[in-house]
Every structure is written in structure tokens, then in C-alpha cells.
Amino acid sequence: MSKSYTTKCGRFDVGYIATPDDMAGKLEPFSPCWNVQYLGDGTQEFFDTEEECKAWIKEWDEIG
């Protein structure tokens, strides 16, 4: 991944997938995207923007 980080709370990993080589597995058809994963249980989602990742994380914070 060309850019990745763990959130300050330590509960999520966020990364940008710029090329197919940046990921394990396949995403077809491929287009660059953001990936966020909740480290508590491995749940993850793919988004077009980093802002969408932040909104998804906020939803988890509201649940937990």
C-alpha cells in the first residue's frame, strides 16, 4: 500500500491501495481505493475516499 496507518485509538488500520500488487487477493475490476479494517474482528470495507473511511470508523465508535 502506498499509504497506511493505524488510528490513534489502535482499533483500525487504514490503507490506500494504489495498484493490484498492493493487496492480497483480487478486486475486479480493479480501481484504486481506500481500505479500512477493524482490528477487533477483522471486518473490513473498501471506499473511494479517506473521508468515507473516517465516517465508517465513526459508525463503529457510535456502536461500541
Side-chain angles (χ1 to χ4, degrees):
M1 289 185 200
S2 55
K3 179 181 180 181
S4 65
Y5 61 90
T6 300
T7 57
K8 289 180 185 178
C9 67
R11 296 171 46 210
F12 301 89
D13 276 344
V14 179
Y16 184 70
I17 302 169
T19 70
D21 292 335
D22 291 339
M23 64 185 302
K26 293 183 178 182
L27 183 63
E28 293 182 2
F30 179 81
S31 68
C33 61
W34 286 87
N35 170 255
V36 61
Q37 183 175 26
Y38 173 59
L39 300 175
D41 66 6
T43 301
Q44 65 179 338
E45 290 290 336
F46 297 88
F47 299 99
D48 292 327
T49 67
E50 188 175 18
E51 289 74 25
E52 291 172 311
C53 293
K54 292 175 182 177
W56 189 78
I57 289 170
K58 185 175 179 179
E59 288 177 17
W60 278 87
D61 286 341
E62 291 172 357
I63 293 170

